[in-house]
Amino acid sequence: MNASAVVALHAGNTLGEGIVWCSREQALYWTDIQAATLWRFRPRDARADQWTMPERLACIALCEAEGWLLLGLASRLAFFHPASGTLAPITPVEGGLPTRLNDGACDRQGRFVFGTLHEPPAGGAREPVGSFWRLNADLSLERLDLPGVAISNSVAFSPDGRTLYYCDSPARAIQCCDYGDRCGSPRTFARLDDPRGEPDGSAVDAAGNLWNAQWGLGRVACYTAGGRLDHCIDIPASQPTRPAFGGPDLAVLYVTSARDGLDAAALASQPSAGALFAAPAGTTGLPEPRFAGTPPRVSVHPGTAAGALHLASGEAHP
């Protein structure tokens, strides 16, 4: 029998995504992409904070540099200092293409690997015109030798860092490859047979199992390192987006979700859509890798780039 998650925070996100656990702060960071908003939530006192971004925020990484985050904004990468609101641009990505950044995660060496998503004209079909990229510690950007992608997702790494997991969501298959300075040949790790669902974001636990949020199926699926479906965590919302292991012992599975695209009837049947969910994982996760690059030496002044909205417990509704 599958376990079930419960609401940890009624965030009401349109498109919650990119969740990571910061062990230094004992807090979760994630984004509501469509609202261009960075969220932080501390489970110990249920405090939620928000920061408005200058454009849509797709993915997030923790940094080795104290107090800084790495942001994957729709069109560019940037450092962000939440305490002051300082935003320090790094580089644009895929300028001139009809794409935006999407899923991303740091590898075990402290480099940021991310992919993009095709945004066609209204009514157009998504095409695999996006790519997977890596931001190195020296802030150089390189395209990974992987096939083109329409909707990048599931970026995660094995515990030893030698396997990269990723997917193109519409293909309904999670891929993997040998990983190091270069990427090996792609191979299929797991397939989704249910046409109602697509693989979204993933996390890997200490035993090497891959946990994948499955959009449309209302679940997080746990796959063994060999790609066998072991069990699922049921999410009381049809569009879970990404899991992360958190809590003092990394034994809680937190999951973001989305309301995007749901009609009135669907929203009435799943009023928690867009919430942050939590469930006992039954295992332990791995500490979130941190980006090794150094932010620029800039003076930080409160409110210089993004406004912070601080919400008390029970008020975390946009």
Side-chain angles (χ1 to χ4, degrees), residues 94 97-100 115-121 123-132 143 147-152 167-171:
E94 294 187 355
L97 288 179
T99 59
R100 69 159 171 85
T116 57
L117 173 153
H118 181 212
E119 293 192 309
R126 296 191 193 273
E127 302 292 340
V129 298
S131 296
F132 287 94
R143 184 185 180 279
V149 62
I151 303 177
S152 66
C167 77
D168 187 354
S169 290

Side-chain angles (χ1 to χ4, degrees), residues 211-299:
W211 298 67
N212 177 249
Q214 300 190 332
W215 179 281
L217 298 182
R219 70 184 193 183
V220 175
C222 175
Y223 295 93
T224 67
R228 177 180 61 83
L229 179 61
D230 186 72
H231 68 284
C232 297
I233 303 289
D234 291 328
I235 309 297
S238 63
Q239 297 177 164
T241 54
R242 179 165 163 159
F245 293 94
D249 301 319
L250 300 177
V252 179
L253 191 75
Y254 290 99
V255 186
T256 46
S257 68
R259 301 166 61 86
D260 201 26
L262 298 178
D263 60 22
L267 288 171
S269 67
Q270 44 184 302
S272 297
L276 171 70
F277 296 96
T283 186
T284 55
L286 292 164
E288 187 70 29
R290 292 176 177 269
F291 182 61
T294 304
R297 294 181 180 274
V298 296
S299 298

Side-chain angles (χ1 to χ4, degrees), residues 12-62:
N13 293 158
T14 300
L15 183 53
E17 262 287 8
I19 189 167
V20 295
W21 172 261
C22 177
S23 57
R24 294 176 185 172
E25 299 181 52
Q26 293 289 293
L28 294 154
Y29 283 95
W30 74 95
T31 173
D32 184 349
I33 297 179
Q34 303 296 49
T37 301
L38 171 69
W39 282 75
R40 180 177 63 194
F41 177 65
R42 295 190 315 214
R44 68 177 180 271
D45 61 4
R47 173 170 172 148
D49 303 315
Q50 296 180 48
W51 291 264
T52 301
M53 295 291 117
E55 61 177 310
R56 289 173 296 169
L57 172 61
C59 50
I60 305 156
L62 307 175

Side-chain angles (χ1 to χ4, degrees), residues 152-223:
S152 66
N153 263 312
S154 195
V155 177
F157 297 89
S158 60
D160 65 6
R162 296 170 61 183
T163 301
L164 164 64
Y165 301 96
Y166 65 95
C167 77
D168 187 354
S169 290
R172 297 205 300 274
I174 302 170
Q175 304 293 117
C176 66
C177 67
D178 294 342
Y179 179 81
D181 289 338
R182 297 183 180 181
C183 292
S185 299
R187 55 189 186 272
T188 299
F189 173 74
R191 292 188 181 278
L192 273 68
D193 295 326
D194 192 328
R196 298 172 301 169
E198 294 183 355
D200 207 310
S202 290
V204 172
D205 67 24
N209 302 305
L210 181 129
W211 298 67
N212 177 249
Q214 300 190 332
W215 179 281
L217 298 182
R219 70 184 193 183
V220 175
C222 175
Y223 295 93

